[in-house]
């Protein structure tokens, strides 16, 4: 066994590999880019080496830098994880040339499965079922169109060297073929450096079922059952489970046998996954083989009780597989949910920024959390946006589903858009519950992919108003010693009244908080909430409202009040400026802060300049998109807090704007 390995990856997979290595007494070396200096995987490993700037091509994809780090630290082997260089044959070959063991399959196997077209031709020769199509080398447009007519519509055009849904188009009629082909070629060339494509018959409403295979250097090859990975958005998986539900035992056996045959056909060694499309009639077709560990490997570990990373390390060190096919047992059901920094309501666009608050569910023998981030970490726009995986095991599918749903209800993330609520909705969808699975389920029903836009319950608005009022009182009391300022809205011979401005779903909401200590009232437009007691400490707000207790974690920013209740609901309520009696106070300050991490690329104003409402003050670039910071009201620029070229965090103050009177003399609010 190895004494030291280098993990050529980041995030949750680097942390996960390090855990197994530590249990086996193997020292680990992390590599990190300049953007990842404070990343969790850097702290998790025994040593860490900086390998370059944030751009992946100059750090995590730089073979030379990684090999130099391996040599300098005395690592005997490199584990590539998944993504980055994990399926790069040149990297595996370079490791061998340097005398470092690559913890993965032989170079020849990686090359054989690296091209979808070549792999399918090889699988057809080995007797593995492949989707009817054209996988030939002649890429002339006329030849492709001729084969498309032979295959018949509907069909798929796919980048031969691709993956992840890039360079892929469904074509339902001959008239659409030429434009779809041109688009696929452009995407394929841009993403993979090759515009070669293949054409396949489109399998309607398919399931994505894959088989985990393992082989050693002594001629032993076996499978560890199948997984269903049909729950996908943008052709990328979000929920996976093992075993695949609803399959006849004969079909499971056939899938396992075909997967082993595929691995043996390329002389495979190590962990691999053979992926199949499963038709509605039970027919299945080879899609591709991933020559690495899969993101969803924990569901296989949960139902078998095996550690696949340990198997990878032992096989790479020359040991035989610990078990034969008959020795592998399957117990219960496991389901995994991938938690991403992304916005389901905006087409699952990836998000970046600081994680202001993170609470993962408590781990147990039946609940696993593989996380690569913690509270305070920065999610950068440079890399994949997956934050963690939550995996639940149960005696059967429904008990696993319920356990995972409860775990996601206990998961709290604030400061950045995420898909936790979406995942909960998917687990509760009647089609998922009934295991009516297909790769089109999410795309076919756009409502599944949208965040709910339900009206905020009055009790939640009352909690938000309480939190905002407490924050304003603390802020005012810290800044002013005069009794006319204390408690925010002190009145002579009357209860204090704080007027709180909120907004949700485009609707402005005024809440009046009456009283500075219980008993108090929160008055909304159509309801009065009576508070007998409340406590607000360390972001936890507990309040007895109308005789029952309400509890929420409250994350406050300049722009919003984010409430996460203990039953899994979350509400983002915008804070808006309220009438101020002192015209020297800055108003609309929340609108003049960085809305996202980004780089200042243009400043359009100068100090002491008068500006109108809506004027462009500054432009920030983030994730190749520009965002204009506009004046929320007329005013005078008191100060500019950033300069062109600055990289600013989300919430950073950019401009001080003092309000001025408008044309009719009224103060701007």
């Amino acid at each position: 066994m190895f004494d030291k390995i280098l993990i050529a990856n980041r995030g949750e997979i680097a942390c996960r590999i390090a855990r197994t290595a530590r249990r086996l007494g193997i020292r680990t070396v992390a590599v990190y880019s300049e953007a990842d200096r404070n990343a969790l995987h850097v702290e998790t490993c025994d040593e860490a080496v900086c390998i370059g700037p944030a751009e992946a091509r100059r750090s995590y994809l730089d073979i030379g830098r990684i090999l130099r780090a391996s040599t300098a630290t005395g690592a005997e082997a490199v584990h590539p994880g998944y993504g980055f260089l994990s399926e790069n044959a040149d990297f595996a070959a370079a490791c061998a040339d340097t005398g470092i063991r690559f913890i993965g399959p032989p170079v020849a196997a990686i090359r054989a499965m690296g091209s979808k077209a070549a792999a399918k031709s090889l699988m057809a020769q080995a007797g593995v079922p492949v989707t009817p199509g054209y996988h030939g080398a002649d890429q002339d447009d006329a030849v492709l169109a001729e084969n498309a007519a032979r295959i018949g519509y509907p069909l798929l055009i796919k980048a031969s060297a691709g993956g992840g849904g890039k360079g892929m188009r469904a074509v339902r009629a001959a008239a659409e073929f030429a434009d779809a082909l041109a688009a696929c070629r452009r995407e394929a060339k841009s993403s993979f450096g090759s515009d070669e494509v293949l054409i396949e018959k489109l399998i309607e409403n398919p399931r994505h079922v894959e088989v985990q295979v393992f082989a050693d250097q002594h001629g032993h090859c076996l499978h560890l059952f199948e997984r269903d990975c049909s729950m996908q958005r943008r052709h990328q998986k979000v929920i996976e489970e093992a075993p695949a539900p609803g399959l006849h035992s004969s079909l499971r056996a056939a899938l396992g046998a075909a997967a082993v045959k595929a691995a043996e056909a390329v002389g495979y060694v190590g962990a691999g996954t053979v992926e199949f499309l499963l038709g509605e009639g039970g027919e299945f077709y080879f899609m591709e083989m991933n020559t690495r560990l899969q993101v969803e490997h924990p569901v296989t570990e949960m139902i078998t009780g095996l550690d696949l990373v340990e198997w990878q390390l032992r096989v790479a060190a020359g040991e035989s597989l610990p078990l034969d096919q008959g020795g592998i047992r399957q117990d219960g059901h496991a389901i995994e949910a991938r938690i991403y920094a992304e916005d389901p309501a905006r087409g699952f666009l990836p998000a970046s920024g600081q994680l202001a608050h993170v609470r993962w569910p408590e781990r147990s023998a039946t609940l696993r959390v593989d996380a690569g981030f913690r509270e305070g970490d920065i999610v950068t726009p440079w890399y994949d946006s997956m934050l963690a995986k939550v995996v639940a095991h149960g005696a059967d599918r429904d008990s696993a589903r319920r356990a995972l749903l409860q775990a996601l209800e206990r998961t709290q993330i604030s400061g950045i858009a995420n898909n936790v609520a979406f995942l909960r909705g998917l687990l509760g969808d009647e089609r998922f519950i009934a295991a009516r699975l297909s790769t089109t389920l999410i795309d076919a029903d756009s409502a599944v992919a949208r965040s709910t836009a339900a009206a905020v319950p009055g009790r939640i608005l009352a909690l938000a108003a309480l939190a905002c009022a407490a924050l304003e009182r603390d802020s005012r009391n810290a800044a002013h010693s005069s009794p006319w300022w204390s408690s925010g809205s002190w009145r002579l011979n009357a209860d204090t009244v704080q007027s709180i401005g909120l907004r949700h779903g485009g609707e402005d909401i005024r809440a009046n908080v009456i009283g500075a200590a219980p008993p108090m009232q929160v008055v909304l437009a159509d309801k009065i909430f009576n508070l007998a007691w409340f406590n607000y400490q360390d972001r936890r707000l507990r309040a007895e409202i109308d005789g029952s207790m309400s509890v929420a974690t409250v994350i406050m920013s300049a722009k919003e009040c984010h409430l996460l209740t203990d039953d899994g609901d979350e509400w983002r309520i915008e804070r808006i400026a309220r009438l101020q009696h002192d015209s020297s106070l800055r108003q609309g300050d929340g609108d003049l802060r960085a809305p996202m991490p980004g780089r200042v690329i243009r400043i359009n104003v100068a100090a002491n300049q008068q500006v109108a409402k809506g004027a462009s003050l500054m432009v920030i670039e983030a994730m190749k998109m520009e965002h204009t910071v506009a004046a929320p009201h007329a005013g005078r620029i008191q100060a500019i807090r950033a300069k062109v070229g600055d990289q600013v965090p989300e919430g950073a103050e950019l401009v001080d704007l003092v309000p001025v009177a408008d044309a009719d003399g009224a103060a701007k609010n």
Side-chain angles (χ1 to χ4, degrees):
M1 182 53 74
F2 308 112
D3 291 321
K4 181 187 288 189
I5 64 170
L6 181 140
I7 304 171
N9 218 295
R10 64 183 298 278
E12 59 86 19
I13 184 56
C15 297
R16 185 264 172 276
I17 294 166
R19 285 197 303 273
T20 290
R22 184 180 300 111
R23 180 174 60 79
L24 297 175
I26 301 171
R27 291 184 61 80
T28 54
V29 180
V31 292
Y32 63 93
S33 71
E34 294 171 1
D36 273 343
R37 282 195 173 98
N38 295 317
L40 182 59
H41 78 278
V42 175
E43 291 187 15
T44 301
C45 292
D46 299 301
E47 303 175 44
V49 178
C50 183
I51 53 171
E55 297 95 326
R57 64 181 178 83
R58 300 172 62 193
S59 52
Y60 296 107
L61 291 174
D62 191 314
I63 294 174
R65 289 175 186 260
I66 291 175
L67 291 179
R68 286 193 291 274
S70 302
T71 302
T73 57
E76 303 157 82
V78 170
H79 196 307
Y82 40 68
F84 292 133
L85 295 170
S86 62
E87 295 181 280
N88 188 306
D90 291 339
F91 178 51
C95 286
D97 292 343
T98 312
I100 297 170
R101 190 71 57 85
F102 178 76
I103 302 174
V107 173
I110 299 176
R111 294 197 194 282
M113 291 300 183
S115 164
K116 283 183 169 61
K120 292 194 176 187
S121 296
L122 181 60
M123 291 299 101
Q125 295 171 20
V128 178
V130 298
T131 312
Y134 174 74
H135 312 127
D138 192 337
Q139 292 285 302
D140 183 78
D141 286 9
V143 172
L144 294 173
E146 180 182 335
N147 277 279
R150 174 184 59 81
I151 295 164
Y153 295 90
L155 53 79
L156 272 177
I157 308 175
K158 302 168 69 174
S160 180
K166 297 182 178 70
M168 181 185 297
R169 291 289 188 283
V171 186
R172 297 191 171 276
E176 304 170 5
F177 183 80
D179 288 345
L181 175 62
C184 280
R185 286 196 186 282
R186 287 194 299 270
E187 285 187 11
K189 184 68 174 177
S190 173
S191 300
F192 312 113
S194 169
D195 65 357
E196 292 190 5
V197 300
L198 55 87
I199 303 172
E200 292 181 343
K201 184 69 177 175
L202 178 64
I203 309 300
E204 300 281 10
N205 298 316
R207 288 173 63 177
H208 181 140
V209 178
E210 62 188 30
V211 179
Q212 178 72 61
V213 294
F214 236 105
D216 61 23
Q217 301 174 42
H218 308 284
H220 307 121
C221 186
L222 51 75
H223 69 82
L224 292 89
F225 312 116
E226 81 287 341
R227 303 183 284 251
D228 191 295
C229 306
S230 301
M231 297 297 96
Q232 304 177 7
R233 83 306 181 241
R234 299 198 317 265
H235 302 287
Q236 293 180 325
K237 308 162 190 173
V238 288
I239 289 182
E240 304 102 339
E241 56 185 303
L247 302 190
H248 190 275
S249 58
S250 61
L251 178 55
R252 296 185 196 278
L255 284 164
V260 170
K261 185 183 293 185
E264 291 176 336
V266 294
Y268 202 77
V269 173
T273 303
V274 184
E275 305 196 351
F276 298 96
L277 278 181
L278 178 62
E280 293 178 306
E283 67 281 5
F284 63 89
Y285 307 100
F286 172 85
M287 289 174 57
E288 62 183 347
M289 183 176 186
N290 287 309
T291 54
R292 53 172 168 79
L293 196 67
Q294 290 280 90
V295 178
E296 58 272 21
H297 76 275
V299 293
T300 296
E301 294 184 323
M302 294 287 268
I303 65 167
T304 61
L306 303 173
D307 185 331
L308 300 193
V309 172
E310 178 180 348
W311 277 36
Q312 284 187 296
L313 294 170
R314 293 193 181 282
V315 166
E319 298 181 23
S320 296
L321 291 176
L323 298 171
D324 59 18
Q325 190 69 65
I328 301 171
R329 295 289 181 263
Q330 179 177 301
D331 174 42
H333 201 96
I335 308 178
E336 171 182 290
R338 301 188 190 185
I339 298 177
Y340 282 94
E342 64 182 18
D343 191 346
R346 299 173 61 204
F348 301 99
L349 284 176
S352 63
Q354 186 172 36
L355 294 166
H357 169 76
V358 174
R359 189 180 79 178
W360 301 120
E362 187 176 349
R363 296 163 172 85
S364 70
T366 58
L367 185 70
R368 173 170 167 174
V369 180
D370 285 8
F373 291 83
R374 71 227 144 149
E375 186 171 308
D377 282 352
I378 302 292
V379 180
T380 77
W382 299 107
Y383 317 115
D384 183 83
S385 62
M386 187 168 69
L387 304 176
K389 303 176 303 195
V390 180
V391 194
H393 180 269
D396 53 36
R397 184 175 188 265
D398 194 56
S399 60
R401 182 190 68 84
R402 290 175 183 273
L404 181 56
L405 188 56
Q406 290 181 353
L408 292 177
E409 289 174 349
R410 299 193 300 273
T411 299
Q412 295 183 347
I413 301 172
S414 184
I416 190 169
N418 63 84
N419 68 337
V420 172
F422 164 73
L423 292 169
R424 289 172 50 213
L426 194 56
L427 288 169
D429 186 278
E430 61 179 10
R431 292 163 297 178
F432 183 83
I433 294 173
R436 298 199 302 271
L437 309 176
S438 82
T439 59
T440 60
L441 187 149
I442 295 175
D443 293 335
D445 183 1
S446 59
V448 176
R450 291 197 301 265
S451 299
T452 57
V456 185
R459 183 178 292 266
I460 295 297
L461 290 172
L463 289 175
L466 267 178
C468 290
L471 183 70
E472 288 190 10
R473 282 199 303 271
D474 290 346
S475 177
R476 290 291 184 86
N477 289 340
H480 303 280
S481 58
S482 166
W484 300 98
W485 283 100
S486 66
S487 298
S489 297
W490 177 83
R491 298 288 183 273
L492 182 65
N493 298 324
D495 288 332
T496 60
V497 178
Q498 286 180 268
S499 182
I500 304 297
L502 306 172
R503 181 180 294 137
H504 185 268
E507 179 184 357
D508 288 354
I509 303 159
R510 179 180 289 272
N512 288 323
V513 179
I514 302 174
M520 301 166 61
Q521 289 183 325
V522 176
V523 181
L524 299 176
D526 57 350
K527 189 169 177 61
I528 297 176
F529 294 91
N530 296 292
L531 285 85
W533 176 89
F534 82 93
N535 180 271
Y536 187 22
Q537 276 186 305
D538 299 326
R539 297 179 173 175
R540 294 286 285 172
L541 175 59
R542 303 178 70 235
E544 184 182 316
I545 301 176
D546 293 334
S548 63
M549 191 66 68
S550 294
V551 184
T553 299
V554 183
I555 311 301
M556 200 75 72
S557 71
K559 296 186 296 182
E560 73 173 12
C561 177
H562 187 189
L563 292 97
L564 303 103
T565 64
D566 283 6
D567 59 2
D569 287 334
E570 62 173 300
W571 304 92
R572 294 180 180 274
I573 301 172
E574 187 178 351
R575 300 172 61 194
I576 57 177
R578 63 184 177 87
L579 182 65
Q580 301 281 5
H581 296 286
D582 184 348
S583 62
S584 70
L585 293 174
R586 292 199 309 271
Q587 301 178 44
D589 183 65
D591 292 329
L592 303 183
R593 295 176 182 269
M596 65 192 81
R599 184 172 61 90
V600 177
I601 62 172
R602 191 161 63 250
I603 296 175
N604 299 324
V605 292
N608 295 316
Q609 181 179 335
Q610 298 265 349
V611 297
K613 179 179 180 179
S616 172
L617 308 180
M618 189 175 291
V619 180
I620 297 176
E621 181 185 57
M623 300 177 74
K624 300 183 180 179
M625 298 178 63
E626 294 185 2
H627 180 88
T628 299
V629 178
H633 51 74
R636 178 178 59 82
I637 304 297
Q638 187 173 55
I640 298 172
R641 305 290 186 185
K643 62 182 182 297
V644 172
D646 282 356
Q647 190 74 31
V648 295
E650 182 177 3
E653 191 173 358
L654 303 175
V655 178
D656 283 350
L657 179 64
V658 178
V660 298
D662 63 9
D664 62 10
K668 293 298 262 185
N669 295 300

